[in-house]
Amino acid sequence: MSDEFSFDEAPLAGSLSALPSTIFGDIFVEDLVQPEAPSQQPDTLERDLASVVLEIEAYQSSRGWDMPLAVFALVPTARLLEESPETSDEDRAKIEATLAASPGHLSAVEQTAIPASMSLEDILGHMAWPQDVQGAAIAAERTTLPSSVMDGAPEDPQELLSYLQNHPEAQQVRMVVGAVREGATWCAMRLRSKDSEENVIQGAELIPTLAEHVKATLDPIPPEDNQ
């Protein structure tokens, strides 16, 4: 996942319309949509996206907690194989077997050149991908709370931040949110208090607001923004 796949940085008008009320630094206020079953199964359209999102989640888990924000380009595995003649025969055979079972298989390519100073808001508000990128995913560790905690919350920014940080409903989570140009989204979430693979929750609409913003980074850039 370490190969670089460059992305374009351009302002996306209106893409942050909901963010000021939902993201406060490392605190994410969102009504997480819990699936009825521990693991909501994707339909055929979402299968390849779900697979790569879970792959990213496992990769981030292997790195441990307290990791910075990570961004991934999602590209067709078939294309990467075609453009990688140096792939060994053994690896090529494994990849071809994967493609035989899932022709639309996606690979995640981490964007290591993104400045560490960029916040989640910066990335979602200024990132746009070239057309040969099929999808995008973001992995982030956040403290999450339900939107109901905003009822009666203090208006002063510093008091609000302290209120959210110390709220009894606060939970530390790792979120991986992916989207593809076709419109599908998939999310995976692991609570730090339940840090095991079997407790990873996933679903198409698990983190709906953030999923929509990740999907918006794949929108075509208006002509005036390309000049």
Side-chain angles (χ1 to χ4, degrees):
M1 289 194 192
S2 60
D3 295 337
E4 192 69 19
F5 197 101
S6 62
F7 69 94
D8 297 328
E9 214 177 295
L12 300 177
S15 67
L16 291 182
S17 58
L19 285 179
S21 62
T22 59
I23 297 179
F24 305 86
D26 289 340
I27 299 176
F28 189 74
V29 178
E30 169 77 289
D31 290 320
L32 305 178
V33 181
Q34 298 280 356
E36 294 182 1
S39 179
Q40 175 184 332
Q41 294 301 313
D43 59 26
T44 302
L45 180 64
E46 298 163 329
R47 182 189 60 197
D48 294 318
L49 176 60
S51 177
V52 74
V53 165
L54 289 175
E55 180 183 344
I56 293 171
E57 199 288 322
Y59 174 65
Q60 290 297 104
S61 178
S62 71
R63 291 172 150 178
W65 288 90
D66 302 315
M67 295 297 296
L69 182 73
V71 178
F72 301 83
L74 305 183
V75 296
T77 302
R79 178 189 154 203
L80 288 183
L81 182 62
E82 181 181 342
E83 296 178 354
S84 304
E86 72 282 0
T87 303
S88 69
D89 292 342
E90 182 179 357
D91 288 343
R92 182 173 293 272
K94 291 179 181 178
I95 296 171
E96 288 175 345
T98 297
L99 291 172
S102 181
H105 188 274
L106 295 170
S107 291
V109 184
E110 186 172 9
Q111 304 302 289
T112 58
I114 295 178
S117 60
M118 288 188 73
S119 66
L120 180 58
E121 298 94 323
D122 292 334
I123 291 173
L124 291 175
H126 294 85
M127 186 169 67
W129 297 92
Q131 286 298 313
D132 48 1
V133 170
Q134 186 174 344
I138 287 180
E141 295 178 20
R142 288 294 184 270
T143 298
T144 65
L145 298 105
S147 62
S148 59
V149 303
M150 297 305 294
D151 296 337
E155 296 183 3
D156 178 80
Q158 292 301 320
E159 291 181 8
L160 174 60
L161 186 59
S162 177
Y163 166 81
L164 295 174
Q165 288 174 331
N166 295 288
H167 199 281
E169 293 186 64
Q171 296 190 80
Q172 288 185 291
V173 302
R174 178 187 299 114
M175 305 180 291
V176 180
V177 181
V180 290
R181 292 190 186 276
E182 292 82 353
T185 62
W186 200 261
C187 311
M189 185 177 70
R190 182 188 299 239
L191 276 65
R192 192 163 188 167
S193 61
K194 298 181 178 179
D195 188 8
S196 62
E197 185 177 349
E198 60 267 25
N199 286 320
V200 173
I201 303 170
Q202 57 173 314
E205 298 181 355
L206 182 63
I207 314 171
T209 301
L210 187 54
E212 285 302 310
H213 288 302
V214 172
K215 185 166 65 175
T217 70
L218 296 162
D219 290 345
I221 304 173
E224 58 269 21
D225 290 335
N226 272 320
Q227 296 177 357

